[in-house]
Amino acid sequence: MHTSATLFSLVALLPLGAASGVAWELSAGAAAAAVMLAVSSVRIISTGEEALVERLGRFERRLHPGLSFVIPGIERVSIYASIREQVLDVPPQPCITSDNAPLSADAVVFFRIKD
């Protein structure tokens, strides 16, 4: 009860316009925090990509291309991965066969993440 009386006496000491200014600053700050929270929860995933969401460090779900939402502070996007076909070029490796003939082995790997 002592704190509410103190708060009332502080508000009573403020000029009439100052009390409304403090309330306006508090509401503007709360509105700015709410907007920042809403913006940080939106994730846009590009075509040909997917993302994995972790909730408190454990896998929760996949985000498909388009607009998605996560809970800030609880969920996070851990990885963005391309689901398009990718090319991995393996550099030439010098080899010697069992009959001592030298050769150069080269490879190209095409891969795609399906699931």
Side-chain angles (χ1 to χ4, degrees):
M1 179 135 178
H2 179 1
T3 58
S4 63
T6 305
L7 181 63
F8 180 73
S9 65
L10 288 175
V11 171
L13 292 176
L14 293 173
L16 185 60
S20 64
V22 171
W24 174 255
E25 288 176 8
L26 289 177
S27 64
V35 167
M36 288 176 39
L37 184 68
V39 168
S40 68
S41 69
V42 174
R43 296 286 188 259
I44 299 173
I45 310 300
S46 301
T47 302
E49 291 187 352
E50 285 190 352
L52 299 180
V53 175
E54 291 181 350
R55 179 178 288 173
L56 301 175
R58 299 186 93 187
F59 172 76
E60 177 65 25
R61 66 184 188 274
R62 290 184 339 193
L63 299 180
H64 299 286
L67 186 66
S68 303
F69 298 96
V70 295
I71 304 169
I74 296 175
E75 294 180 337
R76 72 180 187 99
V77 176
S78 61
I79 189 169
Y80 288 94
S82 175
I83 56 173
R84 292 176 283 222
E85 189 174 83
Q86 298 178 13
V87 178
L88 176 65
D89 187 20
V90 179
Q93 301 289 323
C95 303
I96 298 178
T97 63
S98 60
D99 60 350
N100 286 333
L103 68 102
S104 178
D106 189 11
V108 177
V109 178
F110 296 92
F111 68 95
R112 184 174 74 138
I113 299 172
K114 291 192 97 170
D115 190 27

